[in-house]
Amino acid sequence: MAGRLLRLLSLLESRREWSGQDLADRLGVTGRTLRRDIDRLRRLDYPVDSTTGSAGGYRLASGKNLPPLLLDDEEAIAVAVGLVTSANGSVAGIEDSSVRALTKLEQVLPARLRPRIAAVTSAAVIPHRDAPRVEPAMLAVVAGCCRDQEILSFGYLTRDGSRGERRVEPHHLVLVRGYWYLIAHDPARDDWRTFRVDRITDPVPTHRQFSPRELPAPDPATYLTRSLATAPYRYTAHLGVELPAEEVKAGVFAAVPGSIEPDGPGRCTVRISGESADLVVQYVAAIAALGAPFTVDAPEAVTERVRTLARRLGAA
């Protein structure tokens, strides 16, 4: 019985709401046994709400105290990764709380998981310090709508400074180079869009559900990478590099904000884009450090910085 109660609690924690039939099927019990198990959880102070009728079901509600959470091994590792990321400053004002939570998590983890958590902690990469940070409450609202497949309404500041209202079907949150992005389908434009979360204002759940659409990519990270690579930016440099594309990809310290495409035998074309000319120059310098001949076609703001960098390196 104890094992079944733990399994029931784990199911209730994994989803916002369950129908009684779905829970009974998952547990392999009758509806009567399920109701008894729900009553046992309530006597243990777990706030389980229920509704009646054909659409009735069960959900773990918020109570006066935080109940114990049941995490499997992979979920515990995922929580630790999130805490390390937050402790390193990707979320505004949450660093101290993240460190305390990570310490508590490490204390109660099984011995078999502690080396893995230690590896995650030591290998964590600090996000870009100049990246805008977002409020935890905003992330919670957006993530909740992604999880519950609930249409989200918010104000948005575009790259060119214009403001507007959006009403989207949120799909996933992704953290890249210190920036949080929301991937969502915009019904008004009948297309997928990405939104920088630090540019979102007043996110409000609409309490309207939607049926999730298939993302036009193998996974959210791949979609975001493609989206960022094709988006218009203030500065773009095109490089012709006398190296195969795979060698350039392997030799650069991080993923290029743009694209690297083959351009004949032993040659490739690299496109580097960004809102900052200095950022574009950093990647130009990284490709120059590979030691192969290359050409640069870029705006004057970028080429002048490249010349200045070349003079300084020559003087050094």
Side-chain angles (χ1 to χ4, degrees):
M1 180 188 298
R4 191 174 69 239
L5 282 181
L6 290 174
R7 172 64 175 155
L8 172 58
L9 180 57
S10 179
L11 289 171
L12 289 171
E13 290 175 343
S14 67
R15 204 162 82 184
R16 184 176 184 180
E17 187 165 350
W18 289 86
S19 71
Q21 187 61 54
D22 283 346
L23 280 177
D25 291 343
R26 289 291 189 99
L27 297 171
V29 298
T30 64
R32 183 177 181 182
T33 299
L34 173 65
R35 289 190 292 273
R36 288 177 176 173
D37 287 346
I38 292 291
D39 287 338
R40 291 187 180 97
L41 286 180
R42 287 168 175 161
R43 289 196 294 271
L44 293 172
D45 291 331
Y46 286 95
V48 183
D49 287 347
S50 60
T51 56
T52 58
S54 58
Y58 298 96
R59 61 182 297 179
L60 194 61
S62 57
K64 296 180 179 179
N65 300 306
L66 182 67
L69 297 176
L70 297 177
L71 302 175
D72 62 27
D73 289 4
E74 296 307 316
E75 289 169 342
I77 298 297
V79 170
V81 171
L83 290 172
V84 171
T85 301
S86 298
N88 282 331
S90 65
V91 183
I94 203 173
E95 296 93 334
D96 291 343
S97 299
S98 297
V99 171
R100 293 198 304 271
L102 183 60
T103 300
K104 291 179 180 179
L105 179 62
E106 290 176 331
Q107 288 176 346
V108 300
L109 281 174
R112 67 179 182 277
L113 291 183
R114 288 174 185 164
R116 296 175 65 184
I117 296 295
V120 169
T121 303
S122 62
V125 177
I126 298 177
H128 292 232
R129 287 297 183 182
D130 58 348
R133 299 154 98 192
V134 300
E135 297 297 328
M138 178 179 292
L139 279 179
V141 171
V142 176
C145 288
C146 292
R147 177 198 63 196
D148 299 333
Q149 298 168 8
E150 185 174 344
I151 293 175
L152 177 68
S153 175
F154 55 85
Y156 193 68
L157 177 66
T158 62
R159 186 183 292 115
D160 62 10
S162 61
R163 295 182 180 273
E165 297 296 320
R166 300 296 179 95
R167 193 178 179 91
V168 303
E169 301 171 359
H171 184 276
H172 215 86
L173 279 169
V174 182
L175 179 64
V176 174
R177 302 185 195 122
Y179 292 86
W180 285 99
Y181 291 88
L182 168 66
I183 300 173
H185 187 271
D186 189 338
R189 294 162 176 78
D190 192 26
D191 199 4
W192 289 87
R193 291 289 190 269
T194 59
F195 302 93
R196 277 252 305 265
V197 177
D198 60 283
R199 293 176 178 163
I200 290 176
T201 59
D202 304 318
V204 178
T206 63
H207 305 293
R208 292 186 57 189
Q209 307 296 124
F210 65 88
S211 297
R213 305 168 190 260
E214 184 177 355
L215 189 68
D219 53 72
T222 300
Y223 175 82
L224 182 61
T225 300
R226 293 174 181 173
S227 178
L228 294 178
T230 57
Y233 290 92
R234 186 176 179 183
Y235 301 101
T236 296
H238 293 88
L239 282 69
V241 186
E242 300 297 328
L243 279 177
E246 292 305 318
E247 286 191 30
V248 174
K249 292 177 182 178
V252 179
F253 59 87
V256 170
S259 62
I260 303 175
E261 301 294 338
D263 186 19
R267 178 182 169 84
C268 67
T269 298
V270 181
R271 181 174 58 83
I272 305 171
S273 299
E275 289 299 291
S276 165
D278 290 334
L279 175 65
V280 173
V281 171
Q282 289 176 24
Y283 281 92
V284 171
I287 290 174
L290 298 178
F294 70 98
T295 59
V296 179
D297 179 12
E300 182 61 27
V302 173
T303 56
E304 181 56 35
R305 284 171 169 79
V306 171
R307 295 189 193 103
T308 300
L309 176 61
R311 288 194 296 268
R312 289 175 178 171
L313 289 173

